[in-house]
Amino acid sequence: MSKVFKDKNILIGISGCIAAYKSADLTSRLIKLGANVKIIMTANATKLVQPLTFQSLSANPVYFDTFQSTERWDIEHIALAKWADIFVIAPATANVIGKAASGIADDLLTTTILATEAKTLFAPAMNTVMYQKKVVQDNIAKLKRLGYDFIPPGKGRLACGDWGEGKLADIEVIIQHIEKHLNSSTKRDMEGLRVLVTAGPTCEPIDPVRFITNHSSGKMGYAIAEACIQRGAAVDLVTGPTNLQTPAGANVFPVESAKDMYQAVLKLYEMADIVFKSAAVADYHVKEVASSKIKKGQDSIKLELVRNPDILMELGKRKTKQVLVGFAAETEDLEKNALEKLKRKNLDFILANDVSSSESGFQSDENKGILFSKDGSITPIPLMAKKEFAHRIIDEVIKKVKSD
Ligand code: PMT
């Protein structure tokens, strides 16, 4: 029995492809490895393989597209979504991939894909021409960008008699992918570390009802906080105003202005082993904040702005044991500007965040950038979901922490 699989809840989604019979082997192998397995089948899959086969192998009821009891069905998709440590759709047809890419949830399988927060892997299986169609490849690329993973199909003789790409990956390969993800989701390489994360924008008041702010949503910082908690760290999260759910397990310190953030961060700094400074801090504040709402009597008014303290610069000056990770939101000369900040602020890493396009940086669910270390390593991180992006940054930072 394997340590990685033991008592893990693995949900298998089976869609209507002849390779559905191979999922019986997958189920049996996972059970032997010590996992708990539950199965969802689409209506078409049940025509190819009897649900009873999977029920017998998994020793669990098989869930499929039944609307006999709408109430129960509703409860089931949420219950299964929450139960799963990992969700593997094998085989995944072009139809299921297309629906998932479009957010369509019209049966139990696709509804559960939408409802789960568990890592979701697709193992496609279909005819070569279908697999290579641009629309299918675009759907796969979109899902990958959203954080879903794919186990590429193999090449060989397909059930339709054609030769080519589109065969369900070998069961051994699917198991290796599941193992890799179970390993990384249970990676507890930050245990014993205290991490300070800053997230979101700051708001600089003009009068009691107005303020100056920026487009930061907090998504990047919150993703880092969540990833650190998942990996076992104690996390202090100093956050400007956001609409996000606070990450479970974080000590949250809400702030408004850059000055508030400065004070909160400096109080927590000494205890921190690693600092991720992803907040978008205003460089200036209004010199004289009006005590009552400014009336719109005059044609123009002047606001005098004065510099805010540079929090990260101050952390760089006071650094003792901390590993300091800065972020640089750049629209041009990404590398040059980021390296200048790395040096000037005495950082260990800087993530040069390309905020020139709407698909990454501020507000988006995805990010891309380049992580530079003061030791000279350069790690480009392509466009991916912010949670995955956070893990990639942490992977590099942890290597340094462990090697010191
Ligand atoms: O919140 P999201 O919508 O998910 O967007 C994420 C993000 C784009 C805000 C994030 O990934 C990012 O790039 N954050 C840094 C934004 C920024 O302020 O960059 P900067 O180049 O202006 O500042 C460089 C570094 O100095 C940053 O780590 C910043 O936190 C820090 N700084 C800046 C000014 C200041 N007065 N004090 C600081 O500590």
Side-chain angles (χ1 to χ4, degrees):
M1 197 167 291
S2 151
K3 239 178 160 181
V4 182
F5 288 90
K6 183 159 177 357
D7 297 331
K8 288 290 170 348
N9 293 338
I10 302 180
L11 185 60
I12 302 180
I14 303 175
S15 54
C17 163
I18 188 63
Y21 77 92
K22 295 184 181 171
S23 302
D25 186 22
L26 177 63
T27 306
S28 156
R29 298 280 300 279
L30 292 171
I31 292 287
K32 284 182 190 145
L33 287 165
N36 306 312
V37 178
K38 289 188 180 177
I39 310 279
I40 298 177
M41 298 179 80
T42 62
N44 285 339
T46 63
K47 291 179 192 152
L48 293 159
V49 188
Q50 279 292 320
L52 191 59
T53 308
F54 294 104
Q55 186 173 316
S56 311
L57 290 168
S58 67
N60 271 316
V62 170
Y63 303 84
F64 40 82
D65 303 291
T66 170
F67 289 89
Q68 282 162 355
S69 158
T70 316
E71 263 170 55
R72 242 193 99 216
W73 177 82
D74 237 342
I75 294 163
E76 267 165 13
H77 78 264
I78 298 297
L80 288 167
K82 286 188 177 159
W83 174 85
D85 292 318
I86 191 162
F87 189 12
V88 189
I89 295 109
T93 57
N95 182 45
V96 161
I97 292 169
K99 284 189 202 171
S102 309
I104 294 172
D106 63 354
D107 62 12
L108 185 58
L109 177 57
T110 47
T111 308
T112 311
I113 294 172
L114 207 54
T116 193
E117 286 187 327
K119 184 80 209 172
T120 302
L121 314 180
F122 288 85
M126 65 196 79
N127 168 273
T128 309
V129 177
M130 287 171 80
Y131 183 67
Q132 289 173 348
K133 270 275 153 71
K134 186 166 180 335
V135 65
V136 173
Q137 288 303 317
D138 283 352
N139 286 335
I140 291 175
K142 181 176 177 188
L143 287 168
K144 281 184 180 170
R145 282 204 311 275
L146 292 173
Y148 295 92
D149 270 8
F150 277 76
I151 307 169
K155 281 186 185 154
R157 187 182 180 279
L158 306 174
C160 54
D162 286 359
W163 283 82
E165 207 176 10
K167 240 166 91 91
L168 182 70
D170 283 349
I171 298 305
E172 193 49 47
V173 173
I174 297 177
I175 289 175
Q176 279 165 12
H177 275 262
I178 298 173
E179 183 171 16
K180 190 183 93 191
H181 285 285
L182 287 176
N183 256 330
S184 68
S185 64
T186 52
K187 194 155 59 176
R188 305 279 295 172
D189 54 1
M190 296 183 89
E191 256 161 15
L193 294 173
R194 184 155 212 109
V195 176
L196 172 57
V197 182
T198 71
T202 61
C203 293
E204 307 300 328
I206 299 171
D207 68 12
V209 296
R210 303 178 179 99
F211 52 82
I212 299 171
T213 190
N214 59 63
H215 290 297
S216 172
S217 63
K219 288 178 188 171
M220 189 64 247
Y222 280 47
I224 294 172
E226 276 167 23
C228 291
I229 291 167
Q230 195 183 346
R231 294 166 82 142
V235 171
D236 295 321
L237 174 64
V238 177
T239 173
T242 75
N243 292 323
L244 304 176
Q245 182 87 27
T246 53
N251 307 309
V252 182
F253 301 86
V255 295
E256 296 274 332
S257 66
K259 215 166 116 201
D260 297 341
M261 187 172 277
Y262 178 84
Q263 283 162 358
V265 165
L266 286 188
K267 267 192 206 147
L268 297 161
Y269 187 47
E270 252 184 50
M271 295 185 298
D273 298 298
I274 307 172
V275 181
F276 293 97
K277 196 73 188 52
S278 58
V281 186
D283 289 318
Y284 293 89
H285 67 272
V286 177
K287 187 174 182 191
E288 305 227 342
V289 178
S291 57
S292 52
K293 187 180 168 193
I294 299 171
K295 299 283 175 211
K296 55 170 182 267
Q298 303 150 42
D299 282 348
S300 70
I301 56 166
K302 281 199 173 114
L303 292 175
E304 189 180 346
L305 301 179
V306 289
R307 278 297 287 269
N308 275 328
D310 190 316
I311 309 168
L312 189 53
M313 183 93 142
E314 191 57 37
L315 301 184
K317 282 185 198 153
R318 298 184 185 203
K319 188 158 73 165
T320 52
K321 58 170 182 174
Q322 296 86 353
V323 172
L324 265 189
V325 187
F327 277 65
E330 303 293 348
T331 50
E332 55 196 353
D333 290 334
L334 200 66
E335 179 164 347
K336 185 169 151 266
N337 292 337
L339 287 175
E340 185 276 320
K341 285 176 189 166
L342 175 83
K343 209 163 166 203
R344 181 164 50 85
K345 301 195 183 191
N346 189 24
L347 310 178
D348 298 283
F349 292 91
I350 192 148
L351 188 284
N353 205 156
D354 184 352
V355 293
S356 59
S357 88
S358 60
E359 62 182 5
S360 67
F362 291 100
Q363 301 271 335
S364 60
D365 290 328
E366 296 166 354
N367 211 356
K368 74 168 179 226
I370 307 172
L371 185 69
F372 296 95
S373 84
K374 77 166 184 212
D375 305 332
S377 71
I378 300 174
T379 312
I381 310 180
L383 191 68
M384 63 182 74
K386 280 184 173 163
K387 184 80 184 282
E388 301 290 321
F389 193 85
H391 276 291
R392 292 284 187 94
I393 299 173
I394 296 167
D395 286 343
E396 295 306 311
V397 173
I398 280 299
K399 271 190 221 159
K400 172 169 174 56
V401 174
K402 304 270 158 155
S403 71
D404 280 353

